[in-house]
Amino acid sequence: MESELSFNLKRTQAGKIKIKVWNKSQVVMIGTFVTLLFLTIYGFLTFDYKGIVLIEAALATLYNLKLMFLQPMLSHFTFVEAIYQIVVTMALAFLSTILGAVLSLFIALFAAKNLSSKVVSNSIIMMVAFIRAVPTVLWVLIFAIAAGLGSEAAILGMLLHTIAFLVKAFAESFEEMDDGILEALRASGANWWHIVTHAVIPSTATSLLSWTFLRFETNFTVAVAMGAAAGAGGIGFELFMASGFYFDLREVGYITYAILIVAIGLEMLSTQLKTRYLTNASVK
């Protein structure tokens, strides 16, 4: 066979020969892994270690980690101000997620192959794939040229990337529906809008909710980064100031713990919402 590039012959305990076929993708993956491993080893062996005392560097790193995570403390702003900055960051993530989810819902209806024509669907999928290929921070900087650095550029960049992400996710959820249900509704005389409102959205509501909240969690972490990169404010800007200007490791550790607690809280809320929705749906 053409796809058989190599054979690995192994003799079993029964004395029979077992042939294992490696296809092209497996050969490429193994070759890539071996190449990267070789380059990593070569890089470590040829690295210039002059002036570096590994033991002292390791001890200094451990000391910095101790200050950061075992002795967290706010120095340049109060606890109330920290809560306010976290709320600002969550507001940026919430606004970009809600607007993105609403717009993505309508666009995804035309991106799903079972609800739209092939030409329209492929065009939308290609467009959102291009948008997703560009990192969010680059979109934010692009919008910053027109809107200036600040929360406006951050929201626009996050919104565009959110739409590109959710359109693909929502469209795939719509395409997973049973085609028999859609054909039965069409045969009964239901128009496109009735099919969407009475079958497609109710059947995929749980999946849509899950994808939306997943994107909200992602946008929260992105908003933290955008606080520094785009000057959008929030807890990310305070983290940038503490690490890049004040060099206050204790404050960096405190802010890191605050972000971690919020992220865990969002994950727990997401689980509770999905569980409650599934329970209500099963009861109905």
Side-chain angles (χ1 to χ4, degrees):
M1 296 177 61
E2 295 182 358
S3 62
E4 298 175 359
L5 301 179
S6 59
F7 298 93
N8 184 14
L9 304 181
K10 294 183 179 180
R11 190 173 300 277
T12 60
Q13 294 180 354
K16 297 180 180 179
I17 296 178
K18 183 179 179 180
I19 300 176
K20 182 179 179 180
V21 181
W22 287 0
N23 56 32
K24 186 177 180 180
S25 62
Q26 290 176 321
V27 173
V28 172
M29 290 177 60
I30 294 175
T32 303
F33 176 78
V34 172
T35 302
L36 293 176
L37 179 62
F38 173 77
L39 292 176
T40 301
I41 296 174
Y42 177 78
F44 276 107
L45 293 177
T46 58
F47 188 78
D48 186 8
Y49 293 96
K50 293 180 180 180
I52 299 178
V53 181
L54 295 179
I55 296 178
E56 292 183 3
L59 293 176
T61 301
L62 292 176
Y63 177 75
N64 291 336
L65 292 176
K66 175 186 175 182
L67 291 179
M68 188 180 302
F69 295 111
L70 297 182
Q71 300 176 7
M73 182 179 62
L74 290 177
S75 303
H76 298 88
F77 59 100
T78 64
F79 176 77
V80 176
E81 292 174 343
I83 296 297
Y84 172 77
Q85 297 298 339
I86 292 176
V87 172
V88 170
T89 302
M90 292 190 66
L92 294 174
F94 182 79
L95 184 59
S96 59
T97 302
I98 291 298
L99 293 177
V102 173
L103 295 175
S104 299
L105 180 61
F106 290 99
I107 299 174
L109 293 174
F110 297 97
K113 294 181 174 60
N114 56 347
L115 298 174
S116 180
S117 64
K118 189 175 182 180
V119 176
V120 175
S121 174
N122 291 335
S123 300
I124 295 176
I125 292 300
M126 290 177 60
M127 186 180 301
V128 297
F130 168 75
I131 295 174
R132 287 197 314 274
V134 179
T136 307
V137 63
L138 292 184
W139 285 119
V140 172
L141 295 178
I142 291 173
F143 283 111
I145 298 175
L149 290 174
S151 57
E152 295 84 0
I155 291 176
L156 290 174
M158 293 166 59
L159 174 62
L160 186 62
H161 210 274
T162 297
I163 292 174
F165 176 85
L166 291 181
V167 164
K168 177 178 173 58
F170 288 177
E172 290 180 351
S173 299
F174 297 153
E175 292 172 357
E176 291 175 357
M177 284 192 61
D178 187 2
D179 292 334
I181 298 176
L182 301 180
E183 293 299 330
L185 290 172
R186 293 190 181 103
S188 64
N191 58 31
W192 183 86
W193 185 248
H194 286 158
I195 293 175
V196 169
T197 56
H198 292 82
V200 176
I201 294 180
S203 300
T204 59
T206 303
S207 179
L208 301 182
L209 178 64
S210 300
W211 282 116
T212 302
F213 215 96
L214 174 63
R215 187 62 197 186
F216 175 62
E217 296 175 13
T218 304
N219 281 344
F220 174 76
T221 58
V222 173
V224 172
M226 292 305 100
I235 196 66
F237 182 76
E238 299 296 341
L239 179 62
F240 171 72
M241 294 296 292
S243 60
F245 284 87
Y246 306 139
F247 302 104
D248 191 339
L249 296 179
R250 291 185 175 91
E251 192 165 83
V252 170
Y254 194 99
I255 296 174
T256 302
Y257 278 126
I259 295 172
L260 180 62
I261 291 173
V262 173
I264 294 175
L266 291 177
E267 179 63 27
M268 294 175 62
L269 179 60
S270 174
T271 303
Q272 290 294 328
L273 287 176
K274 287 185 289 186
T275 303
R276 182 174 299 180
Y277 185 88
L278 290 174
T279 302
N280 294 336
S282 61
V283 172
K284 293 179 179 180

